Amino acid sequence: MTVSDAPPIVSTRFALDNGHTLTGYLATGGYEGLRAALAISPTAVGEEVKAASLLGRGGAGFPAGTKWGFCPPGVWPRYLVVNGDESEPGTYKDRLLMEKDPHQLIEGVLIASYAIGAAQAFLYVRGEMALAQERIAQALNDAYAAGYIGKNILGTDFSLDVVLHWGAGAYIVGEETALIESLEGNRGMPRLKPPFFPAAKGLYLQPTVVNNVETLANLPWIMTNGGARFAELGAETSRGMRLFAVSGHVVKPGVYEVEFGVTTFRDLIFDPAYGGGLGDGRSLKAFIPGGASAPWFYDEHLDLPLEAGAVGAAGSMLGSGAIVVMDNTTDVVKACWRVVRFFARESCGKCTPCREGTSWLEKVLRRILDGEGRPDDIALLLDVCDNISPGIAWPPKQTTICPLGPSAVSPIASALVRFRDEFVALCGGTGESPVAITGKAYLPKPNEVAGV
Amino acid sequence: MPRFTADNTILAHEIITRYPRPKSALIPLLHLAQEQDGYVADDAMEHIAELIGVTAAEVLGTCSFYEMFKLAPVGEYLVNVCTNISCLLVGGEELLHHIETRLGIKSGHTTEDGKFTVEDVECIAACTEAPCLQVNYRYFSRVTPEAADALIDDLLHDRRLDEIPKHGVLARTRQQIPAATRAGNAVPGEAEEPVWIRRARAEVSP
Ligand SMILES: Cc1cc2nc3c(=O)[nH]c(=O)nc-3n(C[C@H](O)[C@H](O)[C@H](O)COP(=O)(O)O)c2cc1C
Ligand code: SF4
Ligand code: FES
């Protein structure tokens, strides 16, 4: 496996002391992408982004150019809302982009707003990120003063206010319709969709594009270098570069920007340039390939490329670019419980299968850990999972309004199938369950089927 | 009883004008109230309700949904220890227990002197720097028990104030939108097709 030598796109200023200042930004090519965008028509900017095949970096991986095209024609005003709520366990990239290179994000916001005709943009930043709030506030103030934001930007007829908005601590607000509710001053509860997606009816029921921080941070580069050059990087559906956070049991945890498609999980976890492998004498037990919501992967998945299609076909997702590595010392029952507790705590409470289901899953796992597991607890866990996400499939089917409920199923199905003996040791019984599990990554390795 | 001070009322009005609809300022105003008093007081919620034209119950409804808003005073230093998956794997729980033992309180509680509150929190987006914690939302990475002790010693004597303001103060830099360069809000029902879109459309099909 060769690791690509493509230069980074969004992380070029991470190592600079002054990359977050306007002076530092301008000295390193800052706002050139905006100038390039303003020199062509909004439609041409949209075409450039389509040519780049830029996939959303927030989790769902929807092509940005296509999403922009969903705004119904002739309906005004339109809004751009930036999703800077980063809270998926294992995920750490948007905060870096906001703290270390706020102008790059702002430039991306300006380019996107120009293209879609947004007359106002809101930067929704997770409340707990005080430094990101401060850096973005400063960057916005400086950009206003220098004429990059506000009325008649750089002397053109393009005008835009960018408003920094503070979150206040709620994971579910990262879901785009909950984000919009929150921005309207409400409890952050997702809206039912379909029929209406935010591009049609979003903020104040107006057409609204919600994009992730990293998605937008790619736009200045795409405008200066062209969509075609961006699309030359990566493979299949996943083009360009992506930030991956490698955490857990690796020698060198870190956030690495690598080329999609040619880089593999093995590279990211074991290459000395990235994760650097596991500790002495340790072996890999499992890894989460795309944030806490993703089904777990194992040894046999290490050589999969970092490419949405391949990872999806294997039964999981690249999600939010969060790789959590668990070595052989990991107590998987505990790990599973901790992820499920997260979803139970963060459920917004709007739908019964999620609100009740996740809290019961958490309670049952807790009693298993406390030595009070019962022989039929494994079947019970899977039964509750099946009620939240029928068939325990991938992509998950849902009985809920948003994907948070089904997300709690991933760690349980992953841990229960592969490490069933660890649960049986705590619960007794046979570990058998009448519930069908169909998600590919959840199933045992083909050559192990006989033993189950 | 804490309503907004005169200065904060001016600031509140300014924040409200940034949004096409006043209710959108609710969360920022709750932060402002918490910054002023260290928690969100009942009277502050009533004042916010008056400012944005909703009922106090609606303000409470939103306020109570979000983790960061405290309806009763908490410690001057809010110590949030992450115990989620990446941190759990490399000692997050042990770090939490160490801090609980050192301060003599369980998570969710405040020390008698009102100095510290400890919370066992979900992922704070510092997973590759685990185990990690925040004090008043300022990050500390790869925290060993010794580093935690040293940090607590400093905080006990308010030695880190330049880095960690007391609880309530979120961001010390505020956005300022100068009136002269402001583009203006895009209000539903009022905004028309943006000029640059209209111009570009006219250029294609004159
Ligand atoms: C429960 C839940 C939490 C989410 N959290 C985030 C988040 O923190 N940040 C983010 O950008 N997207 C998050 N998403 C995805 C958003 O709903 C949305 O797809 C994304 O912001 C769109 O931006 P993109 O197309 O640029 O990726 C979340 C989705 C769900 C269902
Ligand atoms: S699935 Fe859970 S988080 Fe999502 S809307 Fe339903 S209750 Fe809320
Ligand atoms: S899991 Fe602890 S910071 Fe993400």
Side-chain angles (χ1 to χ4, degrees):
Chain A
M1 284 297 135
T2 48
V3 180
S4 118
D5 52 8
I9 290 178
V10 295
S11 62
T12 55
R13 294 182 192 85
F14 283 8
L16 304 181
D17 288 337
N18 68 345
H20 62 281
T21 64
L22 183 58
T23 332
Y25 190 62
L26 290 174
T28 48
Y31 290 107
E32 288 306 320
L34 174 65
R35 287 180 198 276
L38 294 179
I40 59 178
S41 76
T43 318
V45 173
E47 290 305 321
E48 209 58 57
V49 174
K50 272 194 196 145
S53 306
L54 172 65
L55 294 187
R57 306 298 202 234
F62 198 79
T66 312
K67 187 196 271 186
W68 295 2
F70 288 158
C71 292
V75 186
W76 312 102
R78 291 177 180 172
Y79 301 106
L80 178 78
V81 175
V82 186
N83 193 339
D85 195 56
E86 183 165 66
S87 333
E88 173 89 6
T91 312
Y92 174 28
K93 62 188 184 71
D94 297 340
R95 178 165 73 88
L96 276 172
L97 288 166
M98 294 189 283
E99 289 179 356
K100 302 220 178 253
D101 205 344
H103 283 284
Q104 176 174 253
L105 171 61
I106 293 168
E107 189 177 353
V109 169
L110 292 163
I111 294 167
S113 299
Y114 174 74
I116 62 173
Q120 199 166 0
F122 298 91
L123 250 161
Y124 192 115
V125 179
R126 181 171 173 184
E128 289 95 332
M129 298 176 177
L131 181 62
Q133 298 276 358
E134 290 174 356
R135 289 263 166 99
I136 292 178
Q138 189 61 51
L140 287 170
N141 291 348
D142 294 343
Y144 264 101
Y148 294 108
I149 319 182
K151 210 184 288 175
N152 298 117
I153 292 168
L154 296 176
T156 67
D157 57 5
F158 172 48
S159 299
L160 184 81
D161 276 334
V162 182
V163 177
L164 172 60
H165 188 86
W166 310 331
Y171 163 71
I172 188 57
V173 161
E175 194 281 335
E176 55 188 9
T177 59
L179 190 83
I180 288 169
E181 284 290 324
S182 184
L183 191 49
E184 291 184 1
N186 302 326
R187 295 168 80 87
M189 289 177 161
R191 295 174 179 172
L192 199 56
K193 61 172 186 180
F196 297 116
F197 287 84
K201 288 189 193 296
L203 184 63
Y204 315 125
L205 298 181
Q206 294 296 127
T208 303
V209 168
V210 182
N211 269 141
N212 168 260
V213 165
E214 187 187 353
T215 313
L216 294 163
N218 275 288
L219 296 178
W221 192 96
I222 291 174
M223 290 320 299
T224 16
N225 297 277
R229 266 195 68 193
F230 189 86
E232 279 166 18
L233 299 165
E236 308 297 332
T237 57
S238 301
R239 300 290 166 171
M241 311 277 287
R242 170 126 201 224
L243 289 172
F244 285 92
V246 186
S247 68
H249 291 142
V250 284
V251 173
K252 261 181 62 201
V255 183
Y256 305 105
E257 185 174 16
V258 298
E259 187 178 348
F260 266 131
V262 299
T263 316
T264 64
F265 289 110
R266 188 184 298 283
D267 295 330
L268 265 188
I269 297 171
F270 289 95
D271 194 290
Y274 309 122
L278 311 173
D280 275 346
R282 304 284 180 91
S283 59
L284 182 69
K285 194 159 186 177
F287 64 99
I288 312 180
S293 309
W296 299 0
F297 271 174
Y298 312 95
D299 270 320
E300 72 265 29
H301 299 106
L302 279 173
D303 292 314
L304 281 175
L306 301 169
E307 192 274 304
V311 173
S316 190
M317 63 171 177
L318 283 180
S320 53
I323 296 171
V324 183
V325 180
M326 296 181 252
D327 71 17
N328 58 324
T329 64
T330 309
D331 176 346
V332 284
V333 185
K334 183 90 181 263
C336 173
W337 162 77
R338 188 58 188 82
V339 178
V340 171
R341 191 188 86 162
F342 167 76
F343 292 114
R345 268 183 157 190
E346 300 296 331
S347 167
C348 82
K350 196 166 176 174
C351 4
T352 315
C354 170
R355 183 187 63 242
E356 301 298 317
T358 55
S359 58
W360 276 109
L361 291 173
E362 192 271 331
K363 285 193 189 83
V364 172
L365 284 164
R366 187 66 248 176
R367 84 172 170 228
I368 293 175
L369 281 172
D370 290 343
E372 287 157 24
R374 301 168 191 174
D376 52 4
D377 273 350
I378 293 174
L380 177 62
L381 286 170
L382 288 172
D383 188 40
V384 177
C385 287
D386 191 54
N387 280 321
I388 302 175
S389 183
I392 312 189
W394 189 265
K397 297 198 174 62
Q398 62 191 57
T399 56
T400 53
I401 292 171
C402 91
L404 186 146
S407 294
V409 171
S410 303
I412 295 182
S414 300
L416 259 180
V417 174
R418 195 56 80 106
F419 308 107
R420 190 165 294 220
D421 47 347
E422 296 188 31
F423 286 82
V424 170
L426 292 168
C427 303
T430 61
E432 267 160 34
S433 165
V435 179
I437 301 173
T438 57
K440 192 169 175 195
Y442 303 138
L443 300 175
K445 264 200 246 185
N447 58 2
E448 285 175 359
V449 173
V452 169
Chain B
M1 281 275 112
R3 288 167 65 89
F4 282 127
T5 60
D7 282 352
N8 278 342
T9 307
I10 295 170
L11 197 50
H13 279 296
E14 198 201 304
I15 292 171
I16 293 168
T17 57
R18 285 184 201 160
Y19 296 91
R21 291 195 177 150
K23 197 181 176 192
S24 283
L26 215 175
I27 290 176
L29 295 188
L30 286 167
H31 277 300
L32 186 64
Q34 183 152 291
E35 178 163 338
Q36 178 183 288
D37 306 316
Y39 71 108
V40 184
D42 286 353
D43 287 2
M45 284 191 274
E46 278 188 20
H47 198 179
I48 292 172
E50 288 163 26
L51 290 169
I52 62 175
V54 301
T55 65
E58 275 180 89
V59 177
L60 174 62
T62 296
C63 178
S64 59
F65 187 82
Y66 298 91
E67 203 76 32
M68 286 176 79
F69 296 131
K70 310 297 177 193
L71 292 168
V74 294
E76 288 173 359
Y77 297 109
L78 183 62
V79 182
N80 290 355
V81 186
C82 175
T83 57
N84 210 313
I85 185 75
S86 306
C87 291
L88 178 87
L89 292 173
V90 296
E93 279 199 334
E94 291 76 5
L95 177 63
L96 174 67
H97 294 154
H98 179 84
I99 291 171
E100 287 177 334
T101 310
R102 164 75 204 264
L103 294 175
I105 47 169
K106 281 284 182 196
S107 77
H109 294 266
T110 301
T111 52
E112 252 167 44
D113 59 3
K115 203 91 189 166
F116 297 96
T117 298
V118 179
E119 289 185 349
D120 161 12
V121 297
E122 300 300 346
C123 178
I124 49 180
C127 321
T128 65
E129 294 157 16
C132 53
L133 58 82
Q134 291 187 318
V135 180
N136 295 350
Y137 307 109
R138 271 69 187 175
Y139 284 89
F140 294 88
S141 298
R142 300 200 172 96
V143 184
T144 59
E146 300 73 46
D149 283 335
L151 177 60
I152 290 169
D153 287 336
D154 279 354
L155 296 174
L156 267 173
H157 300 99
D158 290 336
R159 282 196 294 253
R160 300 249 190 156
L161 281 177
D162 49 335
E163 199 187 334
I164 310 169
K166 295 217 170 158
H167 174 68
V169 179
L170 182 54
R172 290 159 299 181
T173 312
R174 285 183 199 284
Q175 180 180 13
Q176 252 115 32
I177 305 187
T181 51
R182 235 188 115 173
N185 290 339
V187 183
E190 287 176 22
E192 293 168 359
E193 181 175 33
V195 267
W196 70 96
I197 299 284
R198 195 183 326 135
R199 190 238 324 134
R201 206 159 41 79
E203 278 166 10
V204 179
S205 51

